[in-house]
Structures are given as C-alpha cells and as structure tokens.
Amino acid sequence: VIRFAGVSRTYPMEGELVEALRGIDLEIEQGELMAIMGPSGSGKSTMMHIAGLLDTLSRGRYELEGEDVSSLSKNQRADIRNRRIGFIFQSFNLLARCSALENVELPMLYHRPGVAERRERAMAALEAVGMADRAQHLPRQLSGGQQQRVAVARALVNRPALILADEPTGNLDTRTGREIIRLLSSLHQQGITVVLVTHDPEVGRAMRRRIFLRDGLLERDEAA
Amino acid sequence: VIRFAGVSRTYPMEGELVEALRGIDLEIEQGELMAIMGPSGSGKSTMMHIAGLLDTLSRGRYELEGEDVSSLSKNQRADIRNRRIGFIFQSFNLLARCSALENVELPMLYHRPGVAERRERAMAALEAVGMADRAQHLPRQLSGGQQQRVAVARALVNRPALILADEPTGNLDTRTGREIIRLLSSLHQQGITVVLVTHDPEVGRAMRRRIFLRDGLLERDEAA
Ligand SMILES: Nc1ncnc2c1ncn2[C@@H]1O[C@H](COP(=O)(O)OP(=O)(O)OP(=O)(O)O)[C@@H](O)[C@H]1O
Ligand SMILES: Nc1ncnc2c1ncn2[C@@H]1O[C@H](COP(=O)(O)OP(=O)(O)OP(=O)(O)O)[C@@H](O)[C@H]1O
Ligand SMILES: [Mg+2]
Ligand SMILES: [Mg+2]
C-alpha cells in the first residue's frame, strides 16, 4: 500500500544542506502493523509526513495504493488524506479554539454526514480513547496526555484505510499507553494498515514488523 | 525548599467543577532528586505549574524557600522564576520565530550578561543536550525530540537552584533520554534541586524519591 523508491528529503539552509531522508526504499503491504524507530532526529517524522501526503519528497518516488502520488495536485492530495488516511501528529496539532469534540468532528466536515451522525461518531471515538468526559474542554484545558488522546480519536473518526501515528503514546503513562496500542491493534485486526513511530521498546515489540532509521537511512528491517 | 500545605486547584466549568489537585501536602528538601508519576490527567503538570509560580492555587499554601509565595505580586513571581527556577514544559513552549540559540539565550536577557557571555553560555547549554549543530534552526525546523532538548537547554542556562522538568524525555529515544537524565543528575550532584514528571519507569528508578498522583491526590511517596 506504501512504496518508497529512493525517497530523499533535503532542507537547504544557509551554509548547509540538511538531509533528513537519504534514499529510502521501503514497501508496506496492506494490513501491516509496523513500527518506525530510531534516534531523535533520524528522519521518522519526515518519513511519516511524506507518507501522509503532508510533505513532498526531494528525490525518488512515492506510490500510495499503487498510484504515483507526486503527480497529484494539492487538492487531490488533501482529498486522499481526508478519506483514506488518519494522521496523528507528534505534537497533536489540535485547534486551540475548538473543543475536544469539535476537533474530533473536524475530519467529517468534508463529506458532511448529518450533524447527529457526526456527533455520535465523534463521541464514540472519544469514548474509545477514554476522553468522553472531557468532550467540551478546549485543548488548553486538557493535560498533555489527554490532548494526545484527542488527536488519536480525531484520526480514527473517518474510518481510514491507513493510520499513521507519530509517537501516539509519548505523553501517556504505561497503562493508558497500552490502552491506545490495544485500540490501534484492534483496528489493525479489522484490516486497517497501522504504521506508528515510537521510542518505546514495549510498543515496538507489540508490532509485527519494526524498521529502524539512523541519520536519514534505513538501518534495519525486522519482522517479529 | 518546596512546601505544599493543603494545595488544591479547581477549574470551574459549565456544569462541573474540575478538581485537578485536591489537598496536596508535600515537602521537598533542597538538593533532592525526585520524580512525580501517575496516570494521564492525575494533576502532575498542574502541580509543576504551581511549584514553578506559573499558576496560582485555589486553596492551601505554597512556600518556596521558606517564603509564602501566594502573597507576591506578578512581577515578584516572574523575577523569582527567572533567577531561581528552570522550567521545562511538557509541550516545550519555544518561541516559533526565534532560533534554537535565541530561545536558549532568552532567560538571560533580564539580567543582561554581555552579548558574548550570553552566546557562550547558550552554546554550552546546547552542547550539553547535543544540539549545538542545530543552533540556527527555528523550532519548526527541528524534530520533536530536538525541540524538547532545546527546551531543556533553555531551563539550565541561568544556573537555577531549582529545576522543574515536565516529562523531559517523552519525545526521546532511550539512549538520548538517558543522556538527558544523566545531565540532570549531574546538575543535581552540584546541589541543584531536581523535580521531574515522568511516565518512564526507568527514569523514575533513576531518582532518589518517587511520588505518585491519582485523581489530584497524593497516593504514594517512596524513597529509593
Ligand atoms: N484550564 C483547565 N480547565 C479545566 N480543566 C483543566 C485545565 N487544565 C487542566 N485541567 C484538567 O485537570 C486535570 C489535570 O491536568 P494535568 O495537566 O495536571 O494532568 P497530568 O497529570 O499532567 O497529565 P498528563 O500525564 O496527561 O500530562 C486533567 O483532568 C485536565 O483535564
Ligand atoms: N524544516 C526543516 N528545516 C531544516 N531541517 C529540518 C526541518 N525539518 C526537520 N529537519 C531536520 O531533519 C532531521 C529529521 O527530522 P525528523 O523530525 O524527521 O526527526 P525524528 O526522527 O522524527 O526525530 P524525533 O524522534 O526527535 O521526533 C532533523 O535533524 C531535523 O533537524
Ligand atoms: Mg519526530
Ligand atoms: Mg502533564
């Protein structure tokens, strides 16, 4: 479902060229449950943003579900993102002036299921991450881990075929983190492709496959 | 150095009263190395913000270095914070338009050491967290863990007597996280009081004392 061929991402800066990704070859099949691990700064979030159509590559090719997506317009990419991909950001990216519930309803506005259905689906997603009792809170009225869980709920509400989660448990205690991983695993059992970045070895061990990045290169690829 | 006596923090909201902290009694001696742990939403960040003079309590009393700080003006609290306390936020709170170096220099602007000394001290702090080669990057040009490390560096640069770190390794791989904890431990060995919030049991075990919160209450207090 995801194919990277020689994918590179460079950032030209004054006096230096930062090579965040350097020629990544990677294939992820439909229905995989996979972790991306590696040191801070090794290129994991960069890889996730390219996979999620939130960023473009500098060199190479990216095929999503067999289609070369570098040729798509901005609107086409936004449309695919909205319908097919659930993205959980490392820094959550919740809208500050919207409640938890409104944040979770947001991805559904494009296709406009009715108000009642939107509310119902958003509350179910909040329930699944243990945040139903904080539905009316604004992000600044939530703890770090609560914001993270609202970001998880938002990514699930459109029932995407592909979930990309950038460190979904980084701000959670062990027990709450395990609940989130259990949730993602149960979605995987329904056939959804789940790719997550993690620094937690326990989360990595719960996955079927682990790849390791170092300095923008794919260092290791191990199946569980 | 820190004494909480019956400290409560409530947030009145429509139709409910959120009790983030409920009557906390706690004493932290000068020179302690301590972890605050507990589930997501249990009140850890709230406790840290009150301790760091970033938030006021709703009931009870807070004495910092023997002085009742609830009677201080806003300016007096800002002054104490700047000179005595180094605070590392759970969500970093870096200024988006300033480089890593400028962000780390920021706390020194109040007391105006010369430009050369500011630069030198800021670079040394960035060096200590492994971020000297990213000094000119803006926060959005840094990875999540790199931003976190810049936030750590910024908290150290005024050589505070008290360091309050809210989940300083949440976005770091195991190895980089250990480097940060080693850094904080070495500062502790110089006599600095270090209080950190963590979800990582390994980090908790590296501390001399661990307290556990649950639903705004102090559940357990164990010395290593
Ligand atoms: N401004 C606010 N208004 C209303 N409720 C709030 C506000 N700030 C925090 N809360 C609530 O207070 C409780 C404690 O929050 P706090 O941020 O201290 O938790 P925490 O222990 O740091 O959690 P985490 O581990 O997820 O960071 C949470 O249930 C949160 O929803
Ligand atoms: N806009 C940018 N301009 C310049 N350099 C950048 C930019 N974005 C990222 N980088 C650099 O690219 C590298 C990879 O960043 P990335 O965010 O992918 O790392 P990461 O593996 O997700 O790290 P972490 O585990 O700390 O989140 C880092 O060294 C970072 O400094
Ligand atoms: Mg990252
Ligand atoms: Mg917190």
Side-chain angles (χ1 to χ4, degrees), chain A residues 12-23:
Chain A
M13 293 189 64
E14 241 182 75
E16 68 158 340
L17 184 74
V18 176
E19 296 186 274
L21 290 179
R22 305 195 250 166

mmCIF file with all atom_site columns, all heavy atoms in Angstrom, chain A residues 12-23:
data_model
loop_
_atom_site.group_PDB
_atom_site.id
_atom_site.type_symbol
_atom_site.label_atom_id
_atom_site.label_alt_id
_atom_site.label_comp_id
_atom_site.label_asym_id
_atom_site.label_entity_id
_atom_site.label_seq_id
_atom_site.pdbx_PDB_ins_code
_atom_site.Cartn_x
_atom_site.Cartn_y
_atom_site.Cartn_z
_atom_site.occupancy
_atom_site.B_iso_or_equiv
_atom_site.pdbx_formal_charge
_atom_site.auth_seq_id
_atom_site.auth_comp_id
_atom_site.auth_asym_id
_atom_site.auth_atom_id
_atom_site.pdbx_PDB_model_num
ATOM 1  N N   . PRO A 1 12 ? 17.443 22.829 2.247  1.00 0.00 ? 12 PRO A N   1
ATOM 2  C CA  . PRO A 1 12 ? 18.576 23.728 2.031  1.00 0.00 ? 12 PRO A CA  1
ATOM 3  C C   . PRO A 1 12 ? 18.539 24.841 3.085  1.00 0.00 ? 12 PRO A C   1
ATOM 4  O O   . PRO A 1 12 ? 17.505 25.467 3.267  1.00 0.00 ? 12 PRO A O   1
ATOM 5  C CB  . PRO A 1 12 ? 18.331 24.317 0.635  1.00 0.00 ? 12 PRO A CB  1
ATOM 6  C CG  . PRO A 1 12 ? 17.074 23.695 0.123  1.00 0.00 ? 12 PRO A CG  1
ATOM 7  C CD  . PRO A 1 12 ? 16.373 23.037 1.256  1.00 0.00 ? 12 PRO A CD  1
ATOM 8  N N   . MET A 1 13 ? 19.633 25.008 3.804  1.00 0.00 ? 13 MET A N   1
ATOM 9  C CA  . MET A 1 13 ? 19.700 26.095 4.778  1.00 0.00 ? 13 MET A CA  1
ATOM 10 C C   . MET A 1 13 ? 20.971 26.885 4.535  1.00 0.00 ? 13 MET A C   1
ATOM 11 O O   . MET A 1 13 ? 21.846 26.450 3.803  1.00 0.00 ? 13 MET A O   1
ATOM 12 C CB  . MET A 1 13 ? 19.674 25.551 6.205  1.00 0.00 ? 13 MET A CB  1
ATOM 13 C CG  . MET A 1 13 ? 18.338 24.915 6.550  1.00 0.00 ? 13 MET A CG  1
ATOM 14 S SD  . MET A 1 13 ? 18.199 24.501 8.291  1.00 0.00 ? 13 MET A SD  1
ATOM 15 C CE  . MET A 1 13 ? 18.261 26.112 9.060  1.00 0.00 ? 13 MET A CE  1
ATOM 16 N N   . GLU A 1 14 ? 21.056 28.036 5.156  1.00 0.00 ? 14 GLU A N   1
ATOM 17 C CA  . GLU A 1 14 ? 22.237 28.895 4.979  1.00 0.00 ? 14 GLU A CA  1
ATOM 18 C C   . GLU A 1 14 ? 23.497 28.115 5.316  1.00 0.00 ? 14 GLU A C   1
ATOM 19 O O   . GLU A 1 14 ? 23.705 27.716 6.453  1.00 0.00 ? 14 GLU A O   1
ATOM 20 C CB  . GLU A 1 14 ? 22.143 30.076 5.934  1.00 0.00 ? 14 GLU A CB  1
ATOM 21 C CG  . GLU A 1 14 ? 22.108 31.419 5.231  1.00 0.00 ? 14 GLU A CG  1
ATOM 22 C CD  . GLU A 1 14 ? 22.059 32.543 6.261  1.00 0.00 ? 14 GLU A CD  1
ATOM 23 O OE1 . GLU A 1 14 ? 23.126 32.793 6.876  1.00 0.00 ? 14 GLU A OE1 1
ATOM 24 O OE2 . GLU A 1 14 ? 20.968 33.090 6.470  1.00 0.00 ? 14 GLU A OE2 1
ATOM 25 N N   . GLY A 1 15 ? 24.305 27.873 4.326  1.00 0.00 ? 15 GLY A N   1
ATOM 26 C CA  . GLY A 1 15 ? 25.595 27.267 4.631  1.00 0.00 ? 15 GLY A CA  1
ATOM 27 C C   . GLY A 1 15 ? 25.575 25.762 4.830  1.00 0.00 ? 15 GLY A C   1
ATOM 28 O O   . GLY A 1 15 ? 26.618 25.164 5.054  1.00 0.00 ? 15 GLY A O   1
ATOM 29 N N   . GLU A 1 16 ? 24.406 25.142 4.770  1.00 0.00 ? 16 GLU A N   1
ATOM 30 C CA  . GLU A 1 16 ? 24.389 23.678 4.889  1.00 0.00 ? 16 GLU A CA  1
ATOM 31 C C   . GLU A 1 16 ? 23.140 23.105 4.239  1.00 0.00 ? 16 GLU A C   1
ATOM 32 O O   . GLU A 1 16 ? 22.145 23.804 4.042  1.00 0.00 ? 16 GLU A O   1
ATOM 33 C CB  . GLU A 1 16 ? 24.472 23.243 6.372  1.00 0.00 ? 16 GLU A CB  1
ATOM 34 C CG  . GLU A 1 16 ? 23.254 23.593 7.189  1.00 0.00 ? 16 GLU A CG  1
ATOM 35 C CD  . GLU A 1 16 ? 23.089 22.741 8.441  1.00 0.00 ? 16 GLU A CD  1
ATOM 36 O OE1 . GLU A 1 16 ? 23.675 21.656 8.520  1.00 0.00 ? 16 GLU A OE1 1
ATOM 37 O OE2 . GLU A 1 16 ? 22.327 23.173 9.323  1.00 0.00 ? 16 GLU A OE2 1
ATOM 38 N N   . LEU A 1 17 ? 23.253 21.834 3.904  1.00 0.00 ? 17 LEU A N   1
ATOM 39 C CA  . LEU A 1 17 ? 22.118 21.112 3.349  1.00 0.00 ? 17 LEU A CA  1
ATOM 40 C C   . LEU A 1 17 ? 21.761 20.009 4.347  1.00 0.00 ? 17 LEU A C   1
ATOM 41 O O   . LEU A 1 17 ? 22.558 19.099 4.575  1.00 0.00 ? 17 LEU A O   1
ATOM 42 C CB  . LEU A 1 17 ? 22.496 20.500 2.000  1.00 0.00 ? 17 LEU A CB  1
ATOM 43 C CG  . LEU A 1 17 ? 21.366 19.791 1.240  1.00 0.00 ? 17 LEU A CG  1
ATOM 44 C CD1 . LEU A 1 17 ? 20.405 20.822 0.647  1.00 0.00 ? 17 LEU A CD1 1
ATOM 45 C CD2 . LEU A 1 17 ? 21.950 18.913 0.139  1.00 0.00 ? 17 LEU A CD2 1
ATOM 46 N N   . VAL A 1 18 ? 20.566 20.127 4.948  1.00 0.00 ? 18 VAL A N   1
ATOM 47 C CA  . VAL A 1 18 ? 20.163 19.093 5.902  1.00 0.00 ? 18 VAL A CA  1
ATOM 48 C C   . VAL A 1 18 ? 19.511 17.955 5.134  1.00 0.00 ? 18 VAL A C   1
ATOM 49 O O   . VAL A 1 18 ? 18.537 18.158 4.401  1.00 0.00 ? 18 VAL A O   1
ATOM 50 C CB  . VAL A 1 18 ? 19.164 19.648 6.944  1.00 0.00 ? 18 VAL A CB  1
ATOM 51 C CG1 . VAL A 1 18 ? 18.686 18.529 7.865  1.00 0.00 ? 18 VAL A CG1 1
ATOM 52 C CG2 . VAL A 1 18 ? 19.795 20.772 7.741  1.00 0.00 ? 18 VAL A CG2 1
ATOM 53 N N   . GLU A 1 19 ? 20.043 16.741 5.270  1.00 0.00 ? 19 GLU A N   1
ATOM 54 C CA  . GLU A 1 19 ? 19.484 15.579 4.585  1.00 0.00 ? 19 GLU A CA  1
ATOM 55 C C   . GLU A 1 19 ? 18.672 14.770 5.587  1.00 0.00 ? 19 GLU A C   1
ATOM 56 O O   . GLU A 1 19 ? 19.193 13.921 6.287  1.00 0.00 ? 19 GLU A O   1
ATOM 57 C CB  . GLU A 1 19 ? 20.604 14.730 3.986  1.00 0.00 ? 19 GLU A CB  1
ATOM 58 C CG  . GLU A 1 19 ? 21.393 15.454 2.900  1.00 0.00 ? 19 GLU A CG  1
ATOM 59 C CD  . GLU A 1 19 ? 22.392 14.515 2.227  1.00 0.00 ? 19 GLU A CD  1
ATOM 60 O OE1 . GLU A 1 19 ? 23.508 14.381 2.754  1.00 0.00 ? 19 GLU A OE1 1
ATOM 61 O OE2 . GLU A 1 19 ? 22.032 13.913 1.204  1.00 0.00 ? 19 GLU A OE2 1
ATOM 62 N N   . ALA A 1 20 ? 17.379 15.055 5.662  1.00 0.00 ? 20 ALA A N   1
ATOM 63 C CA  . ALA A 1 20 ? 16.532 14.390 6.651  1.00 0.00 ? 20 ALA A CA  1
ATOM 64 C C   . ALA A 1 20 ? 16.288 12.926 6.277  1.00 0.00 ? 20 ALA A C   1
ATOM 65 O O   . ALA A 1 20 ? 16.222 12.058 7.139  1.00 0.00 ? 20 ALA A O   1
ATOM 66 C CB  . ALA A 1 20 ? 15.209 15.135 6.792  1.00 0.00 ? 20 ALA A CB  1
ATOM 67 N N   . LEU A 1 21 ? 16.116 12.650 4.977  1.00 0.00 ? 21 LEU A N   1
ATOM 68 C CA  . LEU A 1 21 ? 15.995 11.279 4.475  1.00 0.00 ? 21 LEU A CA  1
ATOM 69 C C   . LEU A 1 21 ? 16.927 11.122 3.289  1.00 0.00 ? 21 LEU A C   1
ATOM 70 O O   . LEU A 1 21 ? 17.010 12.017 2.445  1.00 0.00 ? 21 LEU A O   1
ATOM 71 C CB  . LEU A 1 21 ? 14.560 10.971 4.016  1.00 0.00 ? 21 LEU A CB  1
ATOM 72 C CG  . LEU A 1 21 ? 13.478 10.856 5.080  1.00 0.00 ? 21 LEU A CG  1
ATOM 73 C CD1 . LEU A 1 21 ? 12.122 10.563 4.425  1.00 0.00 ? 21 LEU A CD1 1
ATOM 74 C CD2 . LEU A 1 21 ? 13.799 9.782  6.107  1.00 0.00 ? 21 LEU A CD2 1
ATOM 75 N N   . ARG A 1 22 ? 17.623 9.960  3.232  1.00 0.00 ? 22 ARG A N   1
ATOM 76 C CA  . ARG A 1 22 ? 18.618 9.789  2.172  1.00 0.00 ? 22 ARG A CA  1
ATOM 77 C C   . ARG A 1 22 ? 18.413 8.475  1.428  1.00 0.00 ? 22 ARG A C   1
ATOM 78 O O   . ARG A 1 22 ? 19.020 7.465  1.728  1.00 0.00 ? 22 ARG A O   1
ATOM 79 C CB  . ARG A 1 22 ? 20.007 9.783  2.795  1.00 0.00 ? 22 ARG A CB  1
ATOM 80 C CG  . ARG A 1 22 ? 20.279 11.011 3.629  1.00 0.00 ? 22 ARG A CG  1
ATOM 81 C CD  . ARG A 1 22 ? 21.737 11.147 3.921  1.00 0.00 ? 22 ARG A CD  1
ATOM 82 N NE  . ARG A 1 22 ? 22.054 10.894 5.311  1.00 0.00 ? 22 ARG A NE  1
ATOM 83 C CZ  . ARG A 1 22 ? 23.284 10.694 5.759  1.00 0.00 ? 22 ARG A CZ  1
ATOM 84 N NH1 . ARG A 1 22 ? 24.304 10.729 4.914  1.00 0.00 ? 22 ARG A NH1 1
ATOM 85 N NH2 . ARG A 1 22 ? 23.499 10.460 7.026  1.00 0.00 ? 22 ARG A NH2 1
ATOM 86 N N   . GLY A 1 23 ? 17.522 8.506  0.467  1.00 0.00 ? 23 GLY A N   1
ATOM 87 C CA  . GLY A 1 23 ? 17.370 7.328  -0.382 1.00 0.00 ? 23 GLY A CA  1
ATOM 88 C C   . GLY A 1 23 ? 16.729 6.147  0.334  1.00 0.00 ? 23 GLY A C   1
ATOM 89 O O   . GLY A 1 23 ? 17.345 5.121  0.556  1.00 0.00 ? 23 GLY A O   1
#
